[in-house]
Amino acid sequence: MKKNVTGTTVIGRTLIYTLLILLAVISVLPFLIMFANATRSTIEIQQRALSLIPSRYLLDNLSHLTGGGSRGFNAMVGFRNSFVVSTGATSLAVYFSSLTAYGIVAYDWKMKHGFFAFIMGIMMIPTTVSTIGFYQFMMQLGWTNNLLPLILPAIASPTIVFFMRQYLLATLSLEMVEAARIDGSGEFATFNRIVLPIMKPAIATQAIFVFVATWNNLLLPLILLQRQNLFTMPIMVSLLRGDIYRTELGAIYLGLSMTVLPLFVVYFILSKYIIAGVALGGVKE
């Protein structure tokens, strides 16, 4: 009987591992195809789009990418603007959302539950609904050709507030906060020195999602920005269609590859905190 149970367990684990490996391959395959196509010519891509075999046209694609046919594509300008916007938005989103969640968890005040319900209601409103009104507001402020409208709204991130609140409910000891207050620590000092280190896994997890979403955001930058020196990478990539009668597909894939690489770097740096955040957030003593 024990042998049968052991055999069943081994078969079950084998099936699970096989399924996980298959899902991993399916997830990675589009990126491998994209990187391979970045080294191939337009004719090769049109003849056989799905191929993992690199070719010898990487330098030619790079020449098309940085040449006149790319309609003002400038990778350095795009990387700079995207990095400024993504880093600024991520920093504001995770810090002020953590501060808001801490205020909801650590303090008892009259409208506490109503305020949290209001935040939950804001989560239900699609972002695209407010796009026209937001654009008109930025027009009145004279911020249509400015990176600030892409950064400052990240201060109000209801989804991150909800996540941080749930994390604090599971991990934060209010006795520790009270002890810090008794020792004379100010409220902001308590939050910055005690609460933030506890929230490091949750902050890193949300930072990945916010950075990726902001980096890939195309709608708002496309609406608000008209100057090429302010274009972000998604706008730069959208310019790669080139001539309507001749589109350099290899250059487009190379531009997409260059856009994705920073996201891989950020993910690999912070991904270890995702598991830690899930593990700590799911256990409450």
Side-chain angles (χ1 to χ4, degrees):
M1 182 70 180
K2 183 177 180 180
K3 184 181 296 184
N4 292 335
V5 173
T6 304
T8 304
T9 304
V10 171
I11 294 174
R13 288 181 178 177
T14 303
L15 293 175
I16 292 175
Y17 289 147
T18 302
L19 178 60
L20 292 177
I21 292 173
L22 179 61
L23 292 176
V25 171
I26 294 175
S27 300
V28 174
L29 189 60
F31 296 101
L32 297 179
I33 295 175
M34 179 180 64
F35 293 142
N37 285 342
T39 66
R40 304 168 68 202
S41 66
T42 300
I43 296 176
E44 290 178 339
I45 295 174
Q46 290 175 341
Q47 291 177 349
R48 189 179 180 185
L50 301 180
S51 177
L52 298 177
I53 302 176
S55 187
R56 56 184 177 84
Y57 293 95
L58 177 61
L59 296 180
D60 293 337
N61 292 333
L62 183 61
S63 176
H64 287 297
L65 190 65
T66 57
S70 58
R71 292 188 178 181
F73 181 88
N74 191 324
M76 295 305 297
V77 172
F79 276 126
R80 181 196 66 195
N81 294 331
S82 289
F83 182 78
V84 170
V85 171
S86 300
T87 304
T90 301
S91 301
L92 292 178
V94 296
Y95 181 81
F96 285 98
S97 296
S98 301
L99 186 62
T100 304
Y102 172 70
I104 294 175
V105 173
Y107 298 97
D108 287 325
W109 35 289
K110 187 174 181 181
M111 296 298 295
K112 174 179 178 179
H113 299 290
F115 179 72
F116 183 68
F118 174 75
I119 294 177
M120 294 298 97
I122 296 297
M123 286 178 56
M124 305 303 166
I125 302 177
T127 306
T128 52
V129 173
S130 60
T131 301
I132 297 177
F134 181 75
Y135 175 74
Q136 292 176 343
F137 182 44
M138 293 301 103
M139 281 282 292
Q140 294 175 357
L141 293 179
W143 282 9
T144 51
N145 272 304
N146 199 316
L147 297 180
L148 288 179
L150 304 177
I151 300 175
L152 295 181
I155 292 177
S157 303
T159 305
I160 304 178
V161 172
F162 172 77
F163 180 89
M164 295 299 186
R165 174 185 177 272
Q166 298 305 113
Y167 185 86
L168 285 176
L169 288 175
T171 59
L172 180 63
S173 173
L174 295 180
E175 289 79 7
M176 190 187 322
V177 177
E178 291 295 335
R181 291 171 180 168
I182 293 174
D183 290 339
S185 175
E187 295 301 321
F188 279 100
T190 301
F191 174 75
N192 293 325
R193 297 178 181 178
I194 298 177
V195 179
L196 274 185
I198 296 175
M199 301 179 67
K200 186 183 295 183
I203 289 175
T205 302
Q206 290 301 308
I208 293 175
F209 298 139
V210 176
F211 189 92
V212 171
T214 307
W215 185 279
N216 291 330
N217 186 19
L218 174 62
L219 180 61
L220 279 181
L222 195 61
I223 293 174
L224 294 172
L225 305 177
Q226 287 83 38
R227 298 177 184 172
Q228 287 191 356
N229 64 327
L230 295 176
F231 284 174
T232 58
M233 278 302 292
I235 298 180
M236 291 288 184
V237 173
S238 68
L239 298 176
L240 294 178
R241 295 298 299 176
D243 191 348
I244 190 173
Y245 299 106
R246 179 173 174 79
T247 300
E248 295 293 340
L249 297 179
I252 294 177
Y253 278 107
L254 180 58
L256 292 173
S257 301
M258 294 172 63
T259 304
V260 169
L261 285 178
L263 302 182
F264 278 105
V265 174
V266 172
Y267 178 80
F268 286 132
I269 291 175
L270 301 177
S271 60
K272 63 181 180 180
Y273 292 106
I274 294 181
I275 297 176
V278 173
L280 292 176
V283 178
K284 183 175 182 180
E285 296 182 357

